[in-house]
């Protein structure tokens, strides 16, 4: 759980960098083309090709880099060339003429490459060298990537694209060839096809080629043990599979390689042939985790977790189709996380069984319902994940949208549309409207309203059964149901599943609700007893308070939530304050105990007896049974008079302090029992489906 969050975070940072990059692409769209592949719709106009030919020597012990790059371009427009400011440039020429720096940015050497005639191929040659920062394995994932610093050490080298470790033309997709030299015992890798590799007693040498439009180049290196395997793609192409693992996890290689084969097979059958000729899993000494075309880079400790190969690995493999095979148009919304979540994370739950899939859908709706009104943005505005609310929209709401779409047009049309979308947009930038076109063409349905409401509206409809009546008729029974949608700025056109229960069977009816209040009726032979609204949670909607039992996340994401610290001074007060700050990721709004109920979300933190006294003085429901015996600390939610409370109770100050790190990771739970810093029990209060008895 924690790790999944972690992976998401890292992936997001990677995507942010990509987003910035592509934003620049769009800004200078009139100048853009891409090399090798046919231009994408947004990249037409006049052709610009950029190709990098890079040779680098990296010494992790000395922490040095020395490089030479020849950039070939046929652009007729002015270009900006960037290289990290920390490096010394020893040679900068364009077609044999000195290229003068156009300025010194804070972080980058900057050259302006003047405009030229159309279709003239020009060559820029840069030589550079310098120091890399020492690798610090104690940094956490956000620090590692947030810094965008090139780091190196004998345990690993990571040069993110954003660190400016090689000279690159701003805002351009480019193909490349990278020749790597490292001391013997070290291996280096960049995304792409390994075309040459050799090792002597002194040095290691490898050459990678990436003939597709790339968003940027990340370099990874380390004392890797490489394990290889091979598979044939659906079209008979050889796919080279590799793990670059640190020696301490080398025995995990086989299991990972087998899993990768399974994922590639799966997605080739669902979408189309794997677009590349390799896939590698590369271990990192820091707890990173993200994906690039042809590889994924995961922390050693992440790779050790047994569930990663069943979840995150498949997600990262699928990004070779969605994200790194078809590029989202970040200007008009990133669809790739939602589609990847739907076809990976959610699909794996469906494979486990209907209950597991329902649990995931309910979790998504519960998370969304935990946001306060107006806290979310429209899905079309999602570019990359920057905070909890953006993940809830960009990943979960989007995945749910694909589920509703499949429910609407059927599995066959859905699968055909996915394949057609892939076929037409491979290695191009595509937007939500391209997806809509594919689904409309394959299903023959007009999906304008469907896409418009889920992409452009904020919030979600709240739907409930206003009335349900049963009447006996000659041939059986007639049921009349009035449905209402409320609490939204715009009305939705939605298909509402209603399950009708008789004594020994159940039947699902679907009603098209597009007004605020509508009445539907149907006949039934057997006597209906009760009706339930969307008990399988297949409709994206704001759950009613009963359906959405409170979870800890509510007091974490609600900006208006207040905090009551029952210890007014001393260690327990300090620990309580720290915990509140960490949970809410902001300076907590501390209020006096008597003012607690002026807010709709309240966090209460105290020692066990203080908490018990407080509960009884406010006539709150008694401490749940599970919170009474085990453990050194408890956190649980309770809803009382429209107020959501999260109560944290610890045996003593030490037990309270122990929660500061782990508790924020349990936002999706209604309760957690801790023994020290370890969660020994957790769960959500059961959801109560909307049911109306018929009489
Ligand atoms: Zn992803």
């Amino acid at each position: 759980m924690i790790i999944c969050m972690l992976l998401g975070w890292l992936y997001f940072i990677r995507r942010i960098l990509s987003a910035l990059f592509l934003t620049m692409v769009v800004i200078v769209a009139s100048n853009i083309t891409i090399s090798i592949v046919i231009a994408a719709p947004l990249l037409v106009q006049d052709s610009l090709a950029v190709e990098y030919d890079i040779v680098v020597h990296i010494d992790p012990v000395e922490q040095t880099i020395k490089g030479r790059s020849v950039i070939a371009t046929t652009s007729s427009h002015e270009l900006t060339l960037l290289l990290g400011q920390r490096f010394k440039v020893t040679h900068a020429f364009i077609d044999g003429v000195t290229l003068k720096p156009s300025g010194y940015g804070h972080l980058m050497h900057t050259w302006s490459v003047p405009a030229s005639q159309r279709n003239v191929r020009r060559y820029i040659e840069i030589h550079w060298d310098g120091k890399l920062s020492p690798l610090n394995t104690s940094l956490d994932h956000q620090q590692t990537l947030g810094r965008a610093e090139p780091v190196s050490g004998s345990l690993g080298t990571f040069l993110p694209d954003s660190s400016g470790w090689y000279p690159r033309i701003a805002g351009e997709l480019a193909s490349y060839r990278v020749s790597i030299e490292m001391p013997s015992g070290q291996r280096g890798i960049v995304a792409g096809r390994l075309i040459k590799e050799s090792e002597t007693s002194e040095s290691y040498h490898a050459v990678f080629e990436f003939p597709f439009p790339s968003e940027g180049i990340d370099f990874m290196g380390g004392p890797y043990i490489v394990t290889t395997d091979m598979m044939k793609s659906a079209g008979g192409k050889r796919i080279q599979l590799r793990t670059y693992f640190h020696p301490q996890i080398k025995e995990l290689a086989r299991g990972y390689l087998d899993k990768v084969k399974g994922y590639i097979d799966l997605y080739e059958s669902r979408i189309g042939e794997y677009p590349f000729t390799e896939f590698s899993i590369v271990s990192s000494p820091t707890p990173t985790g993200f994906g690039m075309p042809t590889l994924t880079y995961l922390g050693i400790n992440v790779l050790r977790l047994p569930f990663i190969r069943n979840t995150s690995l498949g997600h990262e493999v699928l990004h070779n189709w969605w994200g790194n095979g078809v590029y989202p148009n970040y200007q008009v919304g990133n669809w790739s996380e939602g589609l990847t979540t739907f076809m990976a994370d959610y699909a794996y739950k469906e494979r486990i069984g209907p209950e597991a899939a329902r649990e995931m859908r309910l979790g998504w709706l519960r998370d969304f319902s935990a946001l306060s009104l107006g806290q979310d943005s429209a899905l079309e505005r999602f570019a990359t994940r920057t905070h909890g609310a953006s993940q809830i929209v960009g990943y979960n709401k989007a995945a749910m949208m694909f589920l509703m779409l499949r429910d609407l047009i059927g599995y066959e049309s859905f699968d055909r549309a996915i394949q057609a979308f892939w076929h037409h947009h491979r290695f191009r930038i595509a937007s939500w409207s391209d997806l809509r076109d594919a689904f409309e063409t394959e299903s023959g349905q007009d999906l304008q309203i469907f896409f418009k409401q889920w992409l452009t509206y904020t919030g979600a409809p709240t739907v409930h059964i206003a009335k349900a009546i049963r009447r006996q008729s000659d041939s059986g029974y007639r049921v009349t149901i009035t449905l209402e949608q409320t609490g939204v700025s715009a009305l939705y056109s939605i298909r509402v599943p209603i399950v009708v229960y008789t004594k020994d069977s159940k039947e699902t009816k679907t009603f098209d609700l597009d007004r605020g209040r509508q009445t539907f009726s149907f006949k039934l032979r057997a006597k209906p007893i009760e009706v339930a609204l969307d008990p399988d949670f297949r409709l994206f909607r704001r759950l009613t308070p009963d359906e959405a039992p409170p979870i800890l996340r509510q007091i974490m994401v609600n900006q208006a939530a207040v905090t009551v610290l029952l210890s007014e001074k001393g260690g327990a007060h300090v620990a309580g304050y720290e915990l509140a700050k960490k949970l809410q990721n902001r300076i907590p709004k501390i209020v006096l105990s008597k003012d607690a109920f002026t807010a709709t979300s309240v966090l209460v933190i105290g020692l066990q007896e203080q908490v018990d006294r407080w509960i009884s003085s406010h006539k709150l429901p008694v401490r749940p049974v599970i919170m009474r015996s085990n453990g050194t600390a408890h956190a649980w939610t309770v809803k009382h008079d429209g107020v959501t409370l999260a109560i944290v109770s610890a045996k003593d100050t030490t037990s309270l302090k122990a929660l500061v790190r782990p508790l924020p990771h349990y936002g999706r739970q209604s309760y957690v029992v801790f023994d020290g810093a370890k969660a020994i029990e957790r769960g959500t209060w059961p959801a109560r489906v909307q049911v109306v008895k018929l009489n």
Side-chain angles (χ1 to χ4, degrees):
M1 170 84 187
I2 302 162
I3 299 303
C4 291
M5 291 295 291
L6 177 155
L7 286 172
W9 260 105
L10 290 160
Y11 195 76
F12 126 70
I13 291 167
R14 165 74 188 154
R15 303 312 302 179
I16 276 203
L17 302 174
S18 305
L20 294 174
F21 205 73
L22 282 169
T23 302
M24 294 164 83
V25 166
V26 175
I27 290 167
V28 289
S30 60
N31 310 349
I32 304 294
T33 62
I34 38 179
S35 58
I36 312 291
V37 199
I38 311 152
L42 277 164
L43 302 176
V44 281
Q45 308 249 335
D46 97 291
S47 282
L48 160 118
V50 175
E51 293 166 33
Y52 301 123
D53 190 348
I54 300 170
V55 178
V56 275
H57 178 88
I58 290 161
D59 189 329
V61 176
E62 300 292 322
Q63 288 148 13
T64 55
I65 181 171
K66 190 173 162 86
R68 187 190 80 217
S69 177
V70 176
I71 304 165
T73 171
T74 51
S75 168
S76 57
H77 297 275
E78 188 176 317
L79 300 170
T80 303
L81 180 63
L82 303 169
L83 174 70
Q85 183 73 65
R86 65 193 296 135
F87 303 115
K88 190 171 92 219
V89 178
T90 55
H91 180 107
F93 282 87
I94 177 162
D95 291 333
V97 179
T98 305
L99 191 58
K100 294 222 174 67
S102 64
Y104 290 93
H106 174 51
L107 295 169
M108 297 281 171
H109 291 283
T110 309
W111 295 269
S112 161
V113 180
S116 102
Q117 287 170 348
R118 289 173 83 99
N119 298 326
V120 174
R121 195 168 184 80
R122 292 183 293 167
Y123 293 91
I124 302 163
E125 185 166 345
I126 307 280
H127 299 194
W128 76 103
D129 58 58
K131 287 289 277 183
L132 303 166
S133 298
L135 172 77
N136 178 353
T137 52
S138 71
L139 293 183
D140 71 17
H141 50 284
Q142 285 180 52
Q143 291 165 324
T144 307
L145 287 175
R147 289 186 174 193
E149 225 182 347
V151 294
S152 188
S154 55
L155 290 180
T157 298
F158 180 50
L159 314 180
D161 177 66
S162 55
S163 68
W165 68 273
Y166 67 100
R168 67 149 205 240
I169 297 204
E172 301 296 335
L173 299 174
S175 61
Y176 59 79
R177 177 188 168 99
V178 178
S179 171
I180 299 164
E181 281 168 31
M182 294 186 88
S184 175
Q186 290 277 329
R187 301 267 181 287
I189 178 172
V190 296
R193 177 182 208 159
L194 177 67
I195 56 167
K196 236 189 248 173
E197 189 178 35
S198 60
E199 190 173 20
T200 64
S201 55
E202 266 94 59
S203 66
Y204 169 78
H205 181 219
V207 182
F208 289 86
E209 242 180 28
F210 194 76
F212 308 105
S214 155
E215 297 174 334
I217 313 170
D218 303 281
F219 175 94
M220 287 134 284
Y224 294 130
I225 293 183
V226 177
T227 307
T228 61
D229 203 342
M230 205 275 288
M231 71 180 285
K232 283 264 172 68
S233 75
K237 178 178 77 186
R238 249 178 89 95
I239 304 174
Q240 177 79 60
L241 308 176
R242 288 188 153 206
T243 52
Y244 287 74
F245 280 0
H246 284 78
Q248 61 267 44
I249 55 162
K250 67 174 194 299
E251 73 285 356
L252 297 178
R254 201 63 271 152
Y256 272 94
L257 290 171
D258 288 345
K259 274 285 175 185
V260 165
K261 281 186 194 170
Y263 288 124
I264 291 180
D265 276 340
L266 171 70
Y267 293 118
E268 288 202 321
S269 69
R270 295 283 321 276
I271 306 168
E273 192 172 8
Y274 181 70
F276 304 110
T277 49
E278 13 267 301
F279 187 81
S280 300
I281 307 158
V282 184
S283 63
S284 161
T286 54
T288 56
F290 63 88
M292 291 160 251
T294 76
L295 62 89
T296 183
Y297 187 46
L298 299 169
I300 294 169
N301 289 335
V302 176
L303 286 161
R304 280 189 170 129
L305 295 167
F307 59 83
I308 290 296
R309 68 194 74 175
N310 295 323
T311 53
S312 311
L313 180 65
H315 182 110
E316 296 304 340
V317 170
L318 181 54
H319 269 310
N320 284 281
W321 281 266
W322 310 137
N324 293 322
V326 183
Y327 315 114
N329 180 354
Y330 293 90
Q331 290 289 293
V332 289
N334 177 1
W335 47 267
S336 79
E337 289 305 343
L339 189 53
T340 303
T341 303
F342 179 62
M343 293 184 70
D345 312 57
Y346 180 71
Y348 310 151
K349 295 288 181 189
E350 279 189 329
R351 230 164 20 176
I352 295 169
E355 260 315 302
R358 179 183 185 269
E359 221 15 71
M360 184 169 250
R361 295 192 297 269
L362 174 59
W364 290 342
L365 296 188
R366 213 161 31 207
D367 284 351
F368 186 81
S369 304
L371 297 177
S372 49
L373 283 173
Q375 204 186 333
D376 63 318
S377 302
L379 177 51
E380 66 172 0
R381 294 185 56 202
F382 171 77
T384 51
R385 178 174 153 180
T386 47
H387 46 77
S390 66
Q391 189 211 352
I392 288 168
V393 172
Y395 288 62
N396 307 355
K397 180 180 180 179
M400 192 96 181
M401 176 179 165
F402 286 110
L403 172 87
M404 291 188 291
L405 183 58
R406 194 182 64 184
D407 281 351
L408 178 67
I409 66 173
Y411 281 70
E412 280 180 27
S413 301
F414 188 91
D415 285 354
R416 276 203 313 272
I418 286 291
Q419 287 160 12
F421 176 71
W422 170 246
H423 182 73
H424 290 120
H425 298 282
R426 208 176 94 145
F427 295 126
R428 299 180 184 199
I429 294 177
S431 60
W432 279 109
S433 62
D434 296 310
L435 272 164
R436 192 194 64 220
D437 288 347
F439 286 110
E440 284 188 329
T441 305
E442 297 304 324
S443 68
Q445 293 188 35
D446 180 348
L447 300 170
Q448 295 281 341
I449 294 173
F450 179 90
F451 273 81
K452 182 174 174 228
Q453 67 190 12
W454 297 118
L455 290 178
T456 66
Y457 297 177
T458 55
T462 303
V463 191
H464 70 274
I465 303 173
K467 211 156 81 180
I469 303 166
R470 175 186 66 204
R471 291 234 164 75
Q472 200 160 3
S473 70
D474 297 342
S475 55
Y477 295 86
R478 174 169 286 279
V479 178
T480 307
I481 295 183
T482 302
L483 297 178
E484 270 182 4
Q485 55 167 318
T486 52
V488 286
S489 49
L491 289 177
Y492 286 73
S493 287
I494 41 181
R495 308 183 80 220
V496 184
I498 297 285
V499 178
V500 190
Y501 296 88
T502 64
K503 194 159 154 279
D504 13 58
S505 70
K506 66 171 190 176
E507 193 182 329
T508 304
K509 307 260 176 201
T510 307
F511 300 112
D512 292 322
L513 177 67
D514 55 13
R515 279 177 270 148
R517 185 182 168 95
Q518 251 167 295
T519 299
F520 306 90
S521 72
F522 57 90
K523 280 184 182 166
L524 220 66
R525 230 170 243 288
K527 187 180 178 181
I529 296 163
E530 57 185 31
V531 289
L533 185 139
D534 188 26
D536 278 331
F537 304 103
R538 298 190 83 90
L539 173 64
F540 190 77
R541 59 198 172 88
R542 183 171 270 277
L543 299 176
T544 62
D546 265 356
E547 286 175 305
I551 53 174
L552 293 165
R553 180 167 283 162
Q554 262 155 284
I555 56 94
M556 292 161 68
V557 295
N558 188 332
Q559 293 296 315
V562 300
T563 300
V564 176
L565 297 176
L566 298 178
S567 297
E568 282 165 14
K569 50 184 188 285
H573 177 84
V574 175
Y577 185 88
E578 272 310 302
L579 179 59
K581 193 170 139 195
K582 192 81 191 296
L583 277 171
Q584 300 179 327
N585 201 18
R586 60 174 164 86
I587 302 292
K589 287 179 196 140
I590 307 288
V591 298
L592 294 172
S593 171
K594 66 180 174 58
D595 298 327
F597 290 89
T598 52
T600 55
S601 287
V602 185
L603 170 63
V604 180
I605 303 175
L607 300 180
Q608 212 161 306
E609 282 137 37
Q610 297 170 324
V611 169
D612 286 338
R613 269 204 306 278
W614 196 81
I615 287 176
S616 82
S617 72
H618 286 88
K619 304 200 167 42
L620 291 173
V622 291
R623 188 185 273 266
V625 179
I626 202 166
M627 303 288 117
R628 290 182 203 167
S629 49
N630 293 343
T632 54
H634 306 118
W636 74 97
T637 59
V638 58
K639 204 146 195 162
H640 185 69
D641 280 348
V643 177
T644 303
L645 294 134
I647 302 175
V648 181
S649 155
K651 210 173 75 183
D652 47 38
T653 304
T654 313
S655 309
L656 187 57
K657 263 192 201 152
L659 303 182
V660 175
R661 264 176 86 94
L663 188 57
H665 296 298
Y666 293 92
R668 297 189 97 181
Q669 310 300 325
S670 297
Y671 66 86
V672 199
V673 178
F674 284 93
D675 186 16
K678 190 169 187 274
I680 52 171
E681 278 191 80
R682 61 184 172 159
T684 46
W685 308 131
R688 257 180 279 159
V689 171
Q690 284 189 53
V691 177
V692 175
K693 292 227 177 301
L694 297 168
N695 40 44

